[in-house]
Amino acid sequence: MSVQERLTDALYGAGWATVRKLPEPVAVRLGRSIADLAWKQRGKGVLRLESNYARVVPDAGPERLAELSRAGMRSYLRYWMESFRLPAWSRERIAGGVAVEDIHRLTDGMAAGKGVVLALPHLANWDLAGAWVTTGLGIPFTTVAERLKPETLYDRFVAYREGLGMEVLPHNGGSAFGTLARRLRDGGLVCLVADRDLSASGVEVDFFGETARMPAGPALLAQQTGALLLPATLWYDDSPVMRGRVHPPVGIPASGTRAERTSVMTQALADAFATGIAEHPEDWHMLQRLWLKDLDPAREATA
């Protein structure tokens, strides 16, 4: 393990060990202070966040984009402060910490017994949403996690999410898709963060007027198993309660090849994600490159 990897692991470990013990108002103030400091430093992540917000809010000038990126960093650090503290929250605190509109779409889908794929973007706190599903709704689910470096950090994230009641599969494991399909055929719930895919198997979609790539997994799982595919979006307001919405289901097209059906369904997911992101851009924690134009300028220039 490199020095940088050991430092990263130690910092995350300190966060989980220390921040969870802080009184909530202190943790909130600490998160905001760290966010403002990072924002003032104008590092790569902040600049990328502003660049991404420029696609979401195309009429925004430099001052508005700066306001958005500051709010975005505060939202991002709220995610981390909550996540560090989640293992210490009571079931009642978790159950009262989330309010989701049209949750009946999920619960009715589960009651039908055909399985549900819940797909969401990097909005607000998807870990808190997952904890709320397992505790507030009493519905266990399976998800996947990217293998992080160092491995000890990946192990921390897996243990953390499993401690919240989630079954976590490695993202790069060849058996992950098959396991997810089995869970769905058994009438289970699969939750996937699905707004960014850098692999060759990603599906190209129109996203805020430009081409991006999103994972094919949610659409493929729904086609293969007959599970219900539901987009969901999350956001924060000025209260301690995170808000959310379950959008109408994405149907499986009646005709077309598998690839064509997957493309149509993934575009429908992208459209639902875009609706939620446009309404609450500051809660979209996308500090990485997403659009193909940013990933491969030469490719976009010849398109």
Side-chain angles (χ1 to χ4, degrees):
M1 187 189 301
S2 68
V3 172
Q4 180 63 41
E5 288 175 342
R6 285 198 298 270
L7 177 60
T8 299
D9 182 61
L11 288 173
Y12 279 101
W16 268 304
T18 304
V19 174
R20 75 171 67 184
K21 298 177 183 178
L22 296 175
E24 192 156 345
V26 175
V28 170
R29 290 195 297 271
L30 176 62
R32 179 162 292 199
S33 297
I34 295 172
D36 288 349
L37 178 62
W39 177 77
K40 289 176 182 177
Q41 291 178 340
R42 308 290 293 166
K44 290 182 179 180
V46 173
L47 296 177
R48 176 53 52 192
L49 190 63
E50 284 188 13
S51 176
N52 290 339
Y53 285 161
R55 265 62 173 253
V56 176
V57 191
D59 296 333
E63 184 175 344
R64 172 61 176 149
L65 288 175
E67 291 174 354
L68 275 175
S69 67
R70 184 176 189 180
M73 290 303 296
R74 288 181 171 185
S75 176
Y76 185 49
L77 264 295
R78 176 173 173 176
Y79 161 80
W80 279 111
M81 292 296 109
E82 287 178 345
S83 295
F84 286 145
R85 291 174 52 77
L86 260 178
W89 281 13
S90 67
R91 296 177 66 88
E92 293 75 20
R93 175 67 179 88
I94 293 173
V98 180
V100 180
E101 300 171 11
D102 297 319
I103 192 61
H104 68 89
R105 290 178 172 139
L106 172 58
T107 54
D108 290 352
M110 293 301 298
K114 294 184 178 180
V116 175
V117 180
L118 193 67
L120 60 160
H122 287 83
L123 274 169
N125 192 336
W126 47 95
D127 283 323
L128 173 56
W132 179 77
V133 168
T134 60
T135 59
L137 298 181
I139 302 174
F141 67 87
T142 304
T143 188
V144 297
E146 180 183 359
R147 280 202 174 275
L148 302 171
K149 290 185 177 181
E151 283 290 322
T152 51
L153 180 58
Y154 171 77
D155 292 340
R156 286 184 188 273
F157 271 97
V158 170
Y160 158 65
R161 287 173 175 148
E162 288 180 340
L164 297 174
M166 312 173 195
E167 179 188 20
V168 183
L169 307 176
H171 184 269
N172 62 349
S175 62
F177 187 90
T179 301
L180 295 174
R182 286 194 296 274
R183 298 293 182 268
L184 292 168
R185 291 193 184 99
D186 290 339
L189 173 63
V190 166
C191 297
L192 300 171
V193 179
D195 58 342
R196 183 173 183 259
D197 190 318
L198 305 183
S199 71
S201 61
V203 178
E204 292 189 5
V205 296
D206 179 90
F207 197 52
F208 292 102
E210 293 188 30
T211 303
R213 189 181 292 123
M214 294 186 181
L220 290 172
L221 284 166
Q223 291 178 66
Q224 184 162 318
T225 67
L228 187 69
L229 177 55
L230 293 173
T233 53
L234 306 167
W235 67 92
Y236 291 126
D237 58 17
D238 293 330
S239 77
V241 178
M242 183 178 69
R243 310 291 172 175
R245 178 184 303 119
V246 179
H247 295 256
V250 173
I252 301 174
S255 61
T257 65
R258 185 185 189 191
E260 289 169 344
R261 292 195 301 269
T262 300
S263 178
V264 170
M265 295 171 72
T266 306
Q267 182 63 60
L269 283 180
D271 292 342
F273 294 166
T275 297
I277 292 167
E279 291 174 351
H280 306 279
E282 68 279 3
D283 292 323
W284 189 40
H285 306 152
M286 188 55 66
L287 281 73
Q288 301 84 23
R289 299 175 188 269
L290 176 73
W291 281 272
L292 298 193
K293 184 176 181 180
D294 295 333
L295 293 166
D296 188 357
R299 176 190 184 282
E300 186 72 12
T302 59

